[in-house]
Each structure stands twice: as structure tokens, then as C-alpha cells.
Amino acid sequence: MFTFIANYLQHHLNMSKFLPSSNLNNNTNSILCCVIIVLLFIPKSFSQDYRNPKAYIRDFGKNELYVKESLMEYSTSIIDASPDTRIQATLERIYKKLESLEVNLLTNDKGIYGDTELRDDFLKLNSKTITLLKNKSLKLNDYQVQSALDYVDIFKNFAYKEMEIADYYKAILEYENSKRDFGLKFNIIIRFFNKKNVFEYDAYQNLIFYKLNVLDDKLMELMKAKNIAEVNRCMDYINQVSKESLVKTELYKNDYTDTSLNDANVELITFYTKQNETLLPLYNDYVEVSENFQKKKAMFVATNDAIAIEEYNTEVRKYNKSKNAFFDALYEIQLKKRDLVNRWYITNSDFLRHNIEFENLYEKFTSDD
């Protein structure tokens, strides 16, 4: 079981020139969520002669629970905003651990009565996880890089990441089905899941957060260019993604009794929608007044007409009023956004901590453990 653990934890909230940069220091590679995916399924394998199939499968179960405890410890380091260098070092250790695990399984795990099907299916999942970790295809905190792309590439990236999530969880379910088949083959009732687990649920919630923040970063950059058409276009895309995301949160709301993360995304979606409604008219007026002011200023400089001084001063006051209205509103919105994003991170971390802890403490591997 596993996921993209909390989007974590860094939204490059591009305050740009409008607001001092955020102090969010939770720099983490969201690809590390993949680590969780595999960690929750890693069994330690030693060359042993198991007395019976139940002893063999329980060894898988005990080690899954053991790794969940390691996961909780690792998750805490992320939640506590460990330095990115430390997290990267942890990731490197995990690469080596997964690769050595593969060698260890092939060398020492002889299965039960020569049946290695469960081991082999796990190795497929392990190999896929190593590939995903190394090529960083599941990275979910590269807001600034992605927001600089054209819309075609941005949405292609969104679709790719969504596909990767779906494909990986499909692979996990295939592994779970292998455990079920093992139990049927050897007459053991094995607990397995065949629906969205806490980590998969969190991954899709994180993807909503990711999409909105990539587009918002792009919007903040476009506003500096004073291009009304492009700003309107970006806002249209944000509104489009917001509507799609609201549909998804409606579908997700009954997946878990704990709806805190779903509620946080609904709040985020609502915020961005209202942000656009508030800023667009102010921005349009600011750009229009700014352009007119620059024309008046150029004419005044060119003619140096003393009679036009009062007219020029009127334009200055009009420009300042429009500029202040826009930037004051933007500043206020950015402050609220910073608070909202910070609270989203906390909610995401708490959701994982509480729900993983429940599974870690109470989930059993076979029905009579």
C-alpha cells in the first residue's frame, strides 16, 4: 500500500514581485511518494525452509508491517521539513535497498514447495518502482518548471502523471491479487485490498493540488507582462481545471470517513475561482489605465506644454488609483494563499499520519493472525 505522500511539501508559491517570497522550506521531491508505494509491499527474504505456506506468507506480512513502521518514521522526517539534501540522501539509500532486495529475493527466496509465483510478482512491482523513482516521472513539486511550458505541454504533463498514478496502482492491485491467489492455492484466507487505499487516495488529491498550483504560478508570471489576453486565457484554464477538480472531489468525498483532505481541496478550488473573479476586472482596468497613462506621459514629454500639466496630473492620480487597487487586492490574496497552502500541507500530513497509523496498528495479514 502506498502513495504520493503529501504533495509535499513545497508549493513554489510564486509571489514574484507582488509579495516577498514564501518561507515554505518544505523542499521535498514528491517522487518520494513512490517510495512509500514500494515500501509498503517489501518483504524481507532470507533463504529459509518454511514449514508450510502459512509460515511463508506470514513472513511477507510481518515484513510489510515492519516496513510500514519505517515508513512512519520516514514520513515524520518529511513532515518535519527535513533538509532536501537529507531527503535526497534517503532516496539514494532506498535505490540501493530496492536493488539489493531484488538480488536477495532471486538468490535466497525459493518460495514454498518450489512455487515462486508470489515472489516473482513482487519483483515485477519492485522493478517498476525502481524505474519510476530513477526517471522521476512522478515528481509533483516542479511547479516553476512546468508553469513555464506552453499549455499543450502543461496538460500533456498532467495527463502523463495521472496515467502513471493509475498504472502504478494497477500494478499494486495485481500484486494484491497475487497474494489472494496464493491464499486460494494453499487454502489460506489472506487479507488484501481491491479498492482505493489511503495512499492512492492521497495521490489523486495531491494531483488536484499540483495542477492548480502549476497554473497559478503561470498566471502570476503572466500578470507581470501586462497581457490581458494571455491572463484571461490562463484564468480560463484555471477555471476549467477547477470545475473538473470539483467533480473529482465530489466522487472522492465518500471514499474515507476522514474527509479533511478532500475538504481542503474543495477550499483550495473555491479560493482560486474567487481569486480570478476578484483580480480579473482590477487587472484589466490597471493594464488599460497604465497604457493610457504611458501615452499621455509620452505626449506631455514631447510637447512640454505647461497647459497640459493639470491633465497629466489627473492621469497620474487615475493611474495610481487603479494600480493601488489591483496590487492591494493581489497582496491580500497572496497572503491568504500562503496561509491556505500552509494549512493544506498540514492537513495532508495529518491525513496521512492518522490513516497510516491506523493501518499500521490494526491491519493483519491473514485472517487468523
Side-chain angles (χ1 to χ4, degrees):
M1 307 180 56
F2 91 99
T3 190
F4 289 84
I5 214 171
N7 199 305
Y8 8 90
L9 288 157
Q10 155 139 8
H11 166 225
H12 176 72
L13 194 59
N14 189 351
M15 311 298 277
S16 66
K17 294 182 179 178
F18 306 135
L19 189 68
S21 59
S22 171
N23 289 327
L24 296 175
N25 292 321
N26 302 331
N27 292 324
T28 54
N29 292 323
S30 291
I31 55 166
L32 296 179
C33 58
C34 299
V35 173
I36 296 169
I37 298 174
V38 73
L39 286 179
L40 292 176
F41 290 93
I42 294 176
K44 291 187 293 185
S45 180
F46 303 96
S47 182
Q48 296 184 36
D49 293 324
Y50 293 97
R51 298 187 308 277
N52 54 56
K54 181 168 286 189
Y56 178 74
I57 193 65
R58 278 180 174 174
D59 200 36
F60 270 70
K62 290 176 182 178
N63 286 286
E64 286 189 14
L65 292 176
Y66 169 79
V67 176
K68 285 181 183 180
E69 293 175 358
S70 300
L71 169 63
M72 289 303 299
E73 181 180 354
Y74 178 74
S75 300
T76 300
S77 71
I78 294 174
I79 292 166
D80 292 342
S82 297
D84 188 53
T85 52
R86 184 183 304 169
I87 294 172
Q88 185 60 33
T90 302
L91 181 59
E92 293 296 329
R93 289 196 301 273
I94 291 171
Y95 288 158
K96 295 176 181 177
K97 178 178 181 179
L98 299 185
E99 289 167 345
S100 63
L101 172 67
E102 187 165 338
V103 174
N104 187 38
L105 283 168
L106 288 170
T107 303
N108 300 317
D109 188 339
K110 305 305 181 182
I112 183 73
Y113 309 145
D115 186 336
T116 62
E117 188 172 355
L118 181 62
R119 181 205 70 179
D120 294 341
D121 288 339
F122 173 78
L123 283 172
K124 292 178 184 177
L125 179 63
N126 188 61
S127 178
K128 183 175 179 64
T129 302
I130 292 172
T131 300
L132 290 175
L133 285 171
K134 287 192 171 181
N135 67 21
K136 301 184 179 182
S137 60
L138 297 177
K139 188 173 183 179
L140 282 175
N141 71 335
D142 53 343
Y143 305 107
Q144 188 174 26
V145 173
Q146 293 300 324
S147 65
L149 301 176
D150 293 334
Y151 291 109
V152 172
D153 292 326
I154 288 176
F155 281 94
K156 186 183 295 184
N157 174 54
F158 290 167
Y160 173 71
K161 291 182 184 296
E162 195 149 9
M163 180 185 69
E164 287 294 302
I165 294 173
D167 285 352
Y168 200 95
Y169 282 103
K170 180 181 177 182
I172 288 177
L173 289 178
E174 288 174 355
Y175 172 69
E176 286 293 307
N177 287 333
S178 295
K179 290 199 297 187
R180 178 200 61 186
D181 293 343
F182 181 94
L184 292 174
K185 187 186 302 183
F186 293 104
N187 197 30
I188 305 170
I189 299 177
I190 298 176
R191 295 181 185 273
F192 69 99
F193 67 89
N194 57 4
K195 61 181 180 179
K196 193 180 281 119
N197 63 67
V198 62
F199 293 110
E200 182 181 7
Y201 174 86
D202 185 75
Y204 284 115
Q205 293 283 6
N206 273 262
L207 192 58
I208 290 175
F209 181 86
Y210 176 78
K211 290 179 179 181
L212 289 171
N213 287 319
V214 167
L215 290 172
D216 183 62
D217 272 6
K218 191 171 189 70
L219 177 64
M220 294 299 107
E221 285 299 312
L222 289 171
M223 281 186 168
K224 293 189 288 186
K226 297 184 180 180
N227 188 322
I228 292 177
E230 284 301 313
V231 167
N232 275 268
R233 185 184 182 193
C234 189
M235 285 187 173
D236 286 342
Y237 280 126
I238 292 176
N239 291 335
Q240 172 188 320
V241 171
S242 294
K243 289 178 182 178
E244 294 171 356
S245 298
L246 277 178
V247 172
K248 291 177 179 178
T249 55
E250 183 67 21
L251 294 173
Y252 297 157
K253 71 178 184 180
N254 295 322
D255 285 353
Y256 276 88
T257 303
D258 181 353
T259 63
S260 59
L261 187 55
N262 199 64
D263 294 341
N265 264 338
V266 171
E267 184 180 7
L268 184 76
I269 294 165
T270 302
F271 175 85
Y272 279 127
T273 301
K274 290 183 177 179
Q275 168 188 273
N276 292 353
E277 293 173 352
T278 300
L279 287 182
L280 185 58
L282 293 173
Y283 180 77
N284 289 345
D285 181 71
Y286 164 61
V287 173
E288 182 179 348
V289 170
S290 179
E291 290 176 349
N292 290 335
F293 172 67
Q294 294 303 322
K295 292 177 183 178
K296 292 285 186 180
K297 182 178 180 180
M299 290 176 58
F300 177 75
V301 172
T303 61
N304 197 23
D305 189 351
I307 300 177
I309 292 178
E310 186 56 36
E311 182 180 349
Y312 173 75
N313 289 337
T314 299
E315 291 299 321
V316 170
R317 288 190 291 271
K318 185 177 180 180
Y319 167 73
N320 286 335
K321 180 180 178 181
S322 178
K323 180 183 72 173
N324 291 338
F326 169 67
F327 280 98
D328 287 349
L330 180 61
Y331 182 82
E332 186 68 23
I333 283 172
Q334 294 292 68
L335 287 178
K336 292 178 180 178
K337 186 186 301 180
R338 177 189 293 178
D339 176 69
L340 180 61
V341 168
N342 280 332
R343 287 191 288 108
W344 190 95
Y345 288 140
I346 294 171
T347 299
N348 185 60
S349 299
D350 287 346
F351 175 84
L352 283 169
R353 182 188 286 111
H354 296 157
N355 289 282
I356 293 171
E357 182 179 12
F358 178 84
E359 293 186 354
N360 192 37
L361 291 175
Y362 299 107
E363 187 178 59
K364 301 294 185 180
F365 203 69
T366 61
S367 61
D368 59 349
D369 280 353

